[in-house]
Amino acid sequence: MKNPIFDCLLENDPPSCRLFWDKEDGYREWLDTNPNGFVVNCDKQGKKPQYPMLHNVTHKLISSAKINNYTTNDYFKVCAPDKESLESWAKNRGLKLTQCSVKKCS
C-alpha cells in the first residue's frame, strides 16, 4: 500500500538520500557501497510509534544477507551516508527519528 507521505523523496530532501520501497536489489547494492552509512527503517503504514528508526548500516537486523524482505513487506528504508541527511528527511515530514537502542548501532 502506497503512502503519499513516505513513498517518494521530496524536492527539499537532501540529494544523498535514497528511498527503497519494494526494491530489495537496490537496497542491498546501496548497503554494499556505503559500509559507513545509515538507514532509517520505516513502517509503510506510518502507524508504529517507534518508527522511523535510525540504524547504522552494520546493524544485522537491517543488513543481514539471511533476510530477504527488507523493503517488500511492511517496511521500507531511507538511506544516506550521514545522519544529518536522514534527520532532514524526517523533519521534512514532521517526524523525529528514534535512535536504535542496540549499543553497536549508535
Side-chain angles (χ1 to χ4, degrees):
M1 170 199 246
K2 291 288 187 178
N3 184 327
I5 296 172
F6 298 132
D7 67 0
C8 64
L9 293 173
L10 304 175
E11 268 186 41
N12 57 337
D13 284 332
S16 61
C17 288
R18 298 287 177 264
L19 185 139
F20 299 98
W21 185 297
D22 296 335
K23 294 186 175 159
E24 290 298 311
D25 291 340
Y27 176 65
R28 291 193 179 280
E29 183 178 319
W30 190 92
L31 292 174
D32 290 343
T33 58
N34 292 275
N36 298 313
F38 296 88
V39 175
V40 172
N41 192 26
C42 305
D43 65 304
K44 289 180 178 179
Q45 299 277 327
K47 295 181 179 178
K48 295 186 179 183
Q50 71 271 32
Y51 291 101
M53 187 173 291
L54 180 66
H55 297 277
N56 186 299
V57 162
T58 59
H59 190 205
K60 296 300 180 196
L61 288 178
I62 55 97
S63 65
S64 173
K66 295 178 182 180
I67 300 173
N68 297 313
N69 60 348
Y70 286 112
T71 70
T72 53
N73 287 342
D74 296 335
Y75 300 93
F76 71 98
K77 308 293 186 270
V78 181
C79 305
D82 59 275
K83 290 180 183 181
E84 295 78 19
S85 293
L86 295 171
E87 288 167 349
S88 179
W89 173 87
K91 184 178 178 184
N92 287 344
R93 288 154 182 80
L95 302 170
K96 183 175 174 164
L97 298 178
T98 301
Q99 175 67 48
C100 176
S101 61
V102 174
K103 194 167 196 156
K104 292 180 181 179
C105 197
S106 50

